[in-house]
Amino acid sequence: MEPVLLGVLLIISFMVAFAIGSNDEAMAPAVGAKVFTVRTAVAIGGLITVLGAVSMGGNVSEKVGSDMVRGLTLTTEMVFAILISMAIWLLVASATRGLPISTTQCIVGSVIGVAVFAPFVGYTGWGIEAIDWFVVLEVFVGWIVSPVIGFLVAAAVFALVRRSQKQVQGLTDLERQERLAAYGLAAFLIWTSLSRGGNDVANAIAPLVVLPDFMGTIELGFIALPAVILPLIIGGTGMALGLIVVGRKVIRTLATEVVSLSPSSALAASVSVALIMFVGTLLGLPLSGTHVLVAALIAVGWVSATPVQMKQVKDILISWIITVPISAVLGVAVLWVILGFI
Amino acid sequence: MDTFSRIFGLGDKDLQKQADELLLRLSKALQSASAKLHVCVDDWDDGKMKHLDELESEIISLEREADEVKEELYEKIFSKRAYLPQQTQERYQLVQHMDSVVDAAENAVRMILVGSNFRPPSEIKGIAEKGWICTDLLQDAVKYLFTDFKKSVEYTLKIDRVREEARDLSFKLLKKLFNDKKYSAKEVSLFRAISERILQVAIRSEDTGDFIRTLAVKYS
């Protein structure tokens, strides 16, 4: 591929990664429980994201929105339109209000928009009928079920934790327990960030890994590295910078503006989210990690009788509802712009 | 784990040890100030006036010491992240409550010295004794807060009862002051001011006990 075009693709992937990193983060519970400051959280999160992207990103293959269109393959322009529109909406949500939204929701919305708009710009076989509405329905059901499951499981897990906490004799014992929970939370979230880095980078660099330029190896002196390491490093760095520069706003929203957390309640919420997402993946359920996390935070707040900031929850819910139509419109607009350049 | 703790602000064991020692000092200062206040009222009632100034300066010294302990806890321990933030906040509130009891003892003794030339009604002695018992119980409530919530709550409930007895005595005194013709307007005003200040020792002990009970109920 021409170096200029390759450079443009790398820049776009970097921007997409930056946007994903700005919104999709794992450190909020630790900040909420005040185990990490926001600065420490983004520093550690950024570093771990790069490590996760480079070490685990190569094993994750991502076909952006491909299962939603029946028997058709998204063209490169379409994939870029989907990714760029996702990046735009993620950045807008993160930078303006710090609202945590679902990356999957962005992708679904923009795939629908692009697929429906495609016949108007000369693509044959596309349109409403090209979309596998059963898959879309499955995904929608997943979004409704995710918070419900997240709430129930996190409430149950934290209720168990609270029961064990009631056995403590005095403040010294309790503080010891909370300190252990804080260590556990720090370790757990570092591990979660590592796998999240590996998974999320796939979305950003999906169009790059299929290019012949990144299929072989690159020689660095006597060391031969797989060429895919370059987009992985770019994607990982983009996500890390997104987290450091913009992501702190989303962390603050989740950490302090929904509910007050203690190390044990934050750990219960984080473990519940990981558990639900793991079982959901095993069963093939299209659950949203963001939805599950928000519901889990509300659940632990409810169990510990801590006031839940309902206004903030309402804003988050509204952002979830408008994400699909906005992403669809953005997908159409971006595809139209891209086609104008070709 | 210590280095890890320091990096992530999860508590430094040396600082925690210092904090425990300082809290113990504050607890002793509180109890000692209240005990000296009780002795001061006893001496005043018995007409032993020569030690009153000495007792006043001792209580003032204890109050200064309590303030120093509070500052030290804040500047050298709490601000250095010896504990997790929620724990720091709760400990700081506890320290503030305890310090307020010593402040009340200082106010009371200063007021006693203002009116030491007048012979006090017997109820004032009773109120001071109840205050002293309250701080004695409070010392145990604080001690058990860290090791046994149940016992700690028991002590705070005892403080409530003794504080109620102190309040009853205070109203009995007011009734006497306002109805007994032997007291002049000046004496009524003076003894009322003194009794209210001494009663504050019991009231602030009760407030501290309430805070301890809130923590115990929250976590047990």
Side-chain angles (χ1 to χ4, degrees), chain B residues 79-97:
Chain B
S79 60
K80 298 279 188 284
R81 290 174 168 240
Y83 302 97
L84 284 167
Q86 288 94 337
Q87 298 165 359
T88 303
Q89 200 180 358
E90 286 164 358
R91 279 174 188 261
Y92 183 61
Q93 278 177 283
L94 177 65
V95 166
Q96 276 185 313
H97 276 293

Side-chain angles (χ1 to χ4, degrees), chain B residues 134-178:
Chain B
C134 280
T135 53
D136 204 30
L137 293 167
L138 180 61
Q139 205 180 15
D140 287 328
V142 172
K143 187 177 80 185
Y144 282 115
L145 173 67
F146 295 95
T147 53
D148 191 335
F149 285 136
K150 203 175 161 192
K151 269 192 179 173
S152 180
V153 169
E154 281 171 17
Y155 278 104
T156 62
L157 292 172
K158 282 182 190 168
I159 296 171
D160 285 4
R161 284 194 289 274
V162 179
R163 205 279 302 164
E164 278 170 18
E165 288 166 15
R167 185 198 54 192
D168 291 346
L169 277 175
S170 149
F171 278 105
K172 194 176 162 192
L173 172 67
L174 287 179
K175 198 174 171 186
K176 190 169 166 182
L177 290 175
F178 286 109

